[in-house]
Amino acid sequence: MKKLKVPLLRALDIMDINVAGDFLTKNTDTHAIDVLNWPESFDYLPETKFNIARSNTHLWIHFRVFNECVKAIHQTDQQEVWKDSCVEFFVKSPYAEKYINFEFNCIGTCLSTKRKSRTEDVVPLPIEEMQSIERFASLGNQPINLNEKTDWSLTIKIPLQLLNTDTSAPITTLYGNFYKCGDETTKPHYVSWSKIETQQPDFHQPDFFGMLEF
């Protein structure tokens, strides 16, 4: 099982999200989303990196993407952001029956649900929880569609309480995966941090999650 360490950086408790990306890049390990799980059908591999840490109250992730094209048409949370230039974080607490999928297009629009599988017992996060997920997108928040090389980043800040709703015990380990996709971009792609061993593209595979150690 693939593993990474999520460091505790107390400075994040008082940091604005618009400057946290540079701080995370300088003070944490950089990880790559670079596994082509289905290269016969989808061989485009945009360079994608992320840095991750936690404060006392939140999980912070800073994604950096180097694309040959970029697209985002969805501006409202819970829309089909996976069709845009998208980064994703799926996570499961050891105490929970369900995992949570956090999906973000390059302008920060988020889709998030709790579910047992791709189709089983899917419950969208309520609006109050969606509003608690902070985002800062380098490309701004307006629709974009460029068929040219475009670098972009996205910083997200997720309350830890969203990840551990089944118990009051402190988090010491989470299981999850990180993804880069773009179903309806000019170069569709499905790339992951931890390898997925299925015949067809499917990110909803908690059996292939890696370990996030706190």
Side-chain angles (χ1 to χ4, degrees):
M1 177 181 291
K2 200 164 188 176
K3 299 180 181 180
L4 63 76
K5 181 71 175 178
V6 182
L8 172 62
L9 300 179
R10 291 185 173 87
L12 290 167
D13 282 320
I14 57 172
M15 190 170 296
D16 291 337
I17 193 169
N18 60 331
V19 298
D22 287 340
F23 178 81
L24 289 166
T25 301
K26 293 175 182 177
N27 292 279
T28 65
D29 292 336
T30 297
H31 308 277
I33 301 174
D34 59 0
V35 180
L36 280 175
N37 300 283
W38 306 280
E40 297 82 4
S41 301
F42 302 97
D43 61 357
Y44 177 48
L45 181 61
E47 183 181 355
T48 308
K49 302 175 181 179
F50 70 94
N51 298 74
I52 185 170
R54 60 190 172 100
S55 63
N56 289 313
T57 56
H58 289 79
L59 184 71
W60 298 68
I61 307 173
H62 179 60
F63 293 95
R64 287 172 289 154
V65 183
F66 307 89
N67 263 146
E68 292 183 18
C69 55
V70 64
K71 175 183 178 182
I73 63 173
H74 297 94
Q75 292 181 275
T76 302
D77 282 354
Q78 303 295 27
Q79 290 184 333
E80 298 171 326
V81 296
W82 69 88
K83 295 180 178 180
D84 294 339
S85 300
C86 185
V87 288
E88 304 182 354
F89 170 55
F90 288 22
V91 61
K92 184 179 184 299
S93 164
Y95 312 111
E97 291 186 359
K98 296 182 178 181
Y99 63 92
I100 308 175
N101 56 302
F102 297 97
E103 308 179 15
F104 302 88
N105 68 11
C106 60
I107 58 173
T109 310
C110 179
L111 178 147
S112 187
T113 69
K114 297 180 181 179
R115 59 178 75 202
K116 291 183 178 179
S117 69
R118 171 176 287 278
T119 58
E120 185 181 9
D121 200 8
V122 179
V123 179
L125 266 61
I127 187 170
E128 296 82 5
E129 293 186 352
M130 293 298 295
Q131 291 174 342
S132 74
I133 304 167
E134 296 186 40
R135 319 120 201 206
F136 178 73
S138 64
L139 295 178
N141 58 13
Q142 296 303 305
I144 188 170
N145 190 2
L146 297 173
N147 287 316
E148 60 187 46
K149 186 173 292 186
T150 305
D151 302 343
W152 56 275
S153 66
L154 178 71
T155 307
I156 60 174
K157 178 183 177 184
I158 304 172
L160 289 174
Q161 64 183 10
L162 293 188
L163 312 181
N164 197 35
T165 56
D166 293 351
T167 178
S168 60
I171 297 174
T172 58
T173 301
L174 292 172
Y175 298 94
N177 209 345
F178 303 82
Y179 309 109
K180 175 71 186 76
C181 65
D183 288 35
E184 294 186 357
T185 61
T186 55
K187 291 192 173 185
H189 52 282
Y190 304 92
V191 190
S192 67
W193 167 70
S194 181
K195 184 175 177 60
I196 303 169
E197 298 182 14
T198 61
Q199 290 188 343
Q200 300 297 326
D202 188 0
F203 288 166
H204 293 267
Q205 293 290 332
D207 288 344
F208 300 108
F209 283 1
M211 180 182 292
L212 284 59
E213 298 177 328
F214 279 49

